[in-house]
Amino acid sequence: MLVSKLYAPTLREVPAEAEIPSHKLMLRAGYMRKTATGMYTFLPLAQRVLKKIENIIREEMDAADGQEILMPILQPSELWKESGRWDAYGGEMWRIKDRHGHDYCLGPTHEEMITFLAHMDINSYRQLPLNLYQIQDKFRDERRPRFGLMRSREFIMKDAYSFDIDEAGLDKSYEKMYQAYTDIFNRCGLYFRPVEADSGAIGGNGSHEFMVLADSGEAEICYCKDCNYAADTEKAEFKAIETEPEEMKERQKVETPDCKTIEAVCDYLQLPVEKSVKAVAYTSNKGLILCFVRGDHQVNETKVANTAGVPEIDMAPAEMLEAAGTHGGYMGPCGLDPEKVIVICDQSVMKMHNFCCGANEEGCHFINVNPGRDFTPTYVADIRLMQEGDPCPHCGGKISKARGIEVGQIFKLHDKYSASLGATVLDEAGRSIPMQMGCYGIGVGRTMAAAVEQNNDKDGIIWPVEIAPYHVIIVPVNIKDETIREKAFSIYGELQKAGIEVILDDRDERPGVKFKDADLYGFPLRITLGKKTLQNGQLEVRTRKTGETVLLPADDYIARIREMLGGLKK
Ligand code: ATP
Ligand code: MG
């Protein structure tokens, strides 16, 4: 490719909405353009990177016995109604109607479709195990599309689905995908960590997220320095905290004027914060949800939504609290009308005795409240958010936090979809049983963005070799100089013949401009052709990542270039 012909228009200024390096740099370097909120057009350089990531994924999926298929993006609502997700999926699903008024959606994911396929054609244990995957655009009407490719509304996903006869088979398929994902992200040159995404609910090792560590990551990871525990903060699970038994004291209402925070209340009443319960109120499609946790704990909103079985929650407005018979700052679990409000108590609250909480009346709290005697919540669950310094659930060590970008997730589905959609097979004994399924996703665009997030500097992108759009850029200092020009084109031809992906900056521009663009585009190696070095029979080769330059003999450089590229892969 010649830079004079390349469609990669660079920008001086990037739109203010681009907040993180990958978003800014891919706009600035002409890799992509925004079409509308959360929708992007990929220009040639980005398309090359995406294809490379896809090919790495293909190679590793095929090596792990995956077979590539392609399903329609458009999905009939019937399948989603059968699985129960048509209503449960919430506002993220793009729903559309055909001219006859039939409901469809643009696929946010494909469990229903693949299970339907399996139900048609897989009848016997002899056809298992099976792993089918596709690489395709997915659609999600995200509540907050942002950070460019990180959270867009149309995005490329590799989704894979495994089918096994039993749990042991599923464990093996899952393990294979875990390894394949590790290999894929290593080859993409990413620094990542697999974390537990739900530790226990469906069997202890039911799901992992692959997190690329980066400050700009939207996800938060809790990890332990003393053992290998790592979990997505959203999902990190707690055990209930047991407390010493106590005799129940008589409940009393006390005045707590102007004490709107739990700290102020504890201060005023001279109580330890572990003897207090605080509240957070949310609104949802099922109405008001009041959540209660110990005074020094925080509420995990994902767990709350899951417990209540609602797709989304938002902070509840004050009027809503009043209508339900309570008052902001003074909310408590006693005396609430279960018709008007869903009450969720953290499991540890249920183990507390004689605690203090709001009395649902302005300026008043109760003391000596006891669960069971004084209130019964709608749900008891683990709704606590893990925080820095909390005890590690595995070893008791101290939890630290880091930020991450979720580039992939793997999941044991068991018979969740096969049972509801009737995807059964006959086992060896001739019994009809639902298949054991797993599902495995990778965000291709998000992986590209994550690679930029981890590999950039003030001058631009620094592509990991395996996914770089081109390996080498040749920059002739002066294209009008015949000797330089000739040499530039001959090296260009030789590198191409050697199978090295090369781009030649043949523009009649000042060297500074060309160097700047080469750095911004982020190709791993730059060959600079100047009069002096050529006269000495040498080429100057600069490594984008380190800025180091070496001089190579102009008549024998290909093996060295190959070596340098190989060295950058490690
Ligand atoms: P998130 O929690 O970030 O919303 P998710 O858990 O909903 O993601 P999955 O359903 O697990 O996502 O999808 C598989 C992969 O697809 C994710 O790991 C991620 O890499 C990618 N992905 C999901 N949503 C988006 C999006 N809106 N834009 C870009 N990539 C996405
Ligand atoms: Mg996920």
Side-chain angles (χ1 to χ4, degrees):
M1 172 55 69
L2 300 175
V3 174
S4 63
K5 303 221 163 81
L6 175 71
Y7 186 63
T10 56
L11 297 176
R12 284 243 170 112
E13 305 267 325
V14 287
E17 68 177 31
E19 295 170 65
I20 61 171
S22 59
H23 191 189
K24 284 185 195 164
L25 285 170
M26 282 193 283
L27 289 173
R28 238 182 87 200
Y31 277 76
M32 63 182 201
R33 288 294 179 256
K34 178 172 151 181
T35 306
T37 304
M39 291 160 60
Y40 293 88
T41 295
F42 297 116
L43 305 188
L45 290 177
Q47 183 65 0
R48 286 181 73 92
V49 177
L50 291 170
K51 288 291 159 219
K52 290 200 173 180
I53 296 172
E54 289 177 14
N55 282 336
I56 290 173
I57 293 174
R58 276 197 183 94
E59 283 171 20
E60 298 301 334
M61 287 302 296
D62 292 351
D65 298 324
Q67 298 180 57
E68 189 170 359
I69 59 167
L70 188 59
M71 290 182 269
I73 289 176
L74 206 53
Q75 305 189 17
S77 62
E78 284 76 15
L79 292 177
W80 290 79
K81 283 176 186 155
E82 252 179 80
S83 74
R85 287 210 292 181
W86 183 254
D87 294 320
Y89 209 91
E92 262 182 36
M93 187 190 266
W94 289 98
R95 291 154 215 263
I96 47 178
K97 281 189 194 295
D98 70 7
R99 64 173 74 204
H100 307 292
H102 295 149
D103 287 316
Y104 292 80
C105 69
L106 296 176
T109 176
H110 275 67
E111 282 81 13
E112 280 76 2
M113 294 282 272
I114 196 91
T115 313
F116 179 65
L117 182 83
H119 139 93
M120 286 194 282
D121 292 320
I122 308 176
N123 316 307
S124 160
Y125 72 94
R126 289 198 189 86
Q127 292 166 276
L128 304 177
L130 185 68
N131 182 315
L132 300 174
Y133 74 95
Q134 62 173 350
I135 301 177
Q136 175 203 58
D137 273 17
K138 295 280 185 279
F139 294 80
R140 292 184 188 176
D141 193 359
E142 296 276 357
R143 192 160 27 171
R144 285 191 69 196
R146 58 182 182 155
F147 298 153
L149 302 183
M150 293 294 182
R151 189 165 297 283
S152 46
R153 300 199 296 171
E154 174 172 352
F155 59 96
I156 309 166
M157 196 203 282
K158 185 285 299 181
D159 46 327
Y161 306 88
S162 67
F163 300 91
D164 280 279
I165 188 70
D166 54 19
E167 296 268 344
L170 170 58
D171 287 349
K172 260 195 214 151
S173 295
Y174 186 87
E175 197 46 50
K176 257 181 163 171
M177 284 296 105
Y178 184 100
Q179 194 49 50
Y181 273 44
T182 304
D183 297 341
I184 289 166
F185 296 124
N186 273 329
R187 282 184 63 187
C188 289
L190 293 167
Y191 175 52
F192 66 96
R193 190 163 181 164
V195 306
E196 288 175 20
D198 80 84
S199 40
I202 15 175
N205 54 354
S207 177
H208 284 86
E209 288 167 337
F210 286 75
M211 294 283 193
V212 165
L213 301 180
D215 291 341
S216 60
E218 280 189 280
E220 197 182 62
I221 303 163
C222 287
Y223 67 96
C224 176
K225 283 186 184 141
D226 300 334
C227 72
N228 64 1
Y229 175 79
D232 183 336
T233 306
E234 271 192 1
K235 324 258 167 63
E237 293 191 352
F238 285 93
K239 288 201 189 90
I241 301 173
E242 300 292 338
T243 55
E244 291 291 314
E246 275 177 39
E247 209 160 294
M248 282 191 234
K249 296 183 190 159
E250 197 181 326
R251 189 180 79 179
Q252 279 177 33
K253 196 191 279 181
V254 291
E255 290 201 0
T256 48
D258 294 327
C259 295
K260 291 210 170 159
T261 65
I262 200 69
E263 292 78 17
V265 174
C266 290
D267 229 31
Y268 184 78
L269 298 175
Q270 296 283 297
L271 283 172
V273 74
E274 302 85 62
K275 279 282 186 195
S276 71
V277 163
K278 71 177 176 194
V280 188
Y282 298 99
T283 159
S284 74
N285 65 1
K286 290 189 181 169
L288 181 64
I289 304 175
L290 287 191
C291 301
F292 296 95
V293 292
R294 202 171 84 176
D296 55 338
H297 293 170
Q298 300 299 326
V299 173
N300 178 321
E301 298 187 350
T302 307
K303 291 181 183 175
V304 170
N306 289 342
T307 305
V310 297
E312 289 161 356
I313 54 173
D314 261 316
M315 286 324 244
E319 315 83 73
M320 205 169 172
L321 302 180
E322 301 292 335
T326 181
H327 195 89
Y330 300 93
M331 294 180 281
C334 306
L336 293 167
D337 180 353
E339 296 287 313
K340 289 187 180 155
V341 49
I342 297 172
V343 178
I344 306 180
C345 274
D346 184 62
Q347 52 185 357
S348 293
V349 169
M350 303 307 281
K351 306 273 181 188
M352 291 167 67
H353 314 282
N354 301 316
F355 62 76
C356 151
C357 60
N360 298 317
E361 204 179 305
E362 183 161 15
C364 293
H365 278 77
F366 284 129
I367 54 170
N368 300 330
V369 173
N370 287 278
R373 183 192 70 182
D374 297 322
F375 67 94
T376 310
T378 326
Y379 300 103
V380 175
D382 166 19
I383 54 163
R384 184 178 160 194
L385 185 71
M386 196 172 277
Q387 287 173 287
E388 193 109 27
D390 274 339
C392 165
H394 284 189
C395 75
K398 266 204 170 128
I399 287 296
S400 304
K401 285 195 170 181
R403 300 212 68 86
I405 301 164
E406 181 205 312
V407 285
Q409 182 163 20
I410 58 177
F411 244 109
K412 286 184 190 171
L413 297 169
H414 300 271
D415 65 357
K416 183 168 173 198
Y417 296 93
S418 49
S420 59
L421 292 159
T424 55
V425 286
L426 296 180
D427 68 7
E428 242 170 306
R431 283 174 308 213
S432 172
I433 52 168
M435 287 182 265
Q436 290 292 319
M437 289 174 58
C439 71
Y440 315 92
I442 293 180
V444 179
R446 198 185 274 185
T447 299
M448 170 164 76
V452 177
E453 232 25 72
Q454 275 191 344
N455 300 284
N456 69 76
D457 62 14
K458 66 175 184 3
D459 298 319
I461 303 172
I462 308 169
W463 286 111
V465 171
E466 283 233 44
I467 61 171
Y470 291 95
H471 298 135
V472 176
I473 181 165
I474 305 170
V475 180
V477 167
N478 178 4
I479 196 77
K480 285 206 167 131
D481 179 312
E482 242 351 274
T483 349
I484 294 182
R485 189 188 166 82
E486 234 168 67
K487 192 69 192 169
F489 275 91
S490 76
I491 293 173
Y492 178 58
E494 283 161 13
L495 285 174
Q496 273 180 333
K497 233 188 246 153
I500 292 169
E501 294 171 42
V502 57
I503 183 162
L504 165 61
D505 196 342
D506 59 333
R507 294 173 302 170
D508 181 17
E509 285 281 0
R510 283 180 291 118
V513 172
K514 296 199 261 195
F515 292 156
K516 254 202 153 105
D517 283 350
D519 279 354
L520 181 59
Y521 289 140
F523 310 118
L525 296 180
R526 184 184 88 198
I527 300 181
T528 318
L529 296 179
K531 223 179 170 103
K532 236 198 216 145
T533 38
L534 275 187
Q535 272 165 3
N536 295 337
Q538 289 174 316
L539 305 180
E540 185 191 298
V541 184
R542 178 173 176 272
T543 304
R544 171 72 181 88
K545 190 171 178 176
T546 58
E548 282 162 5
T549 56
V550 291
L551 292 169
L552 301 184
D555 51 5
D556 181 23
Y557 60 94
I558 291 184
R560 275 303 304 284
I561 295 264
R562 219 180 248 130
E563 227 171 77
M564 287 173 81
L565 288 170
L568 284 173
K569 276 187 196 169
K570 280 165 210 142

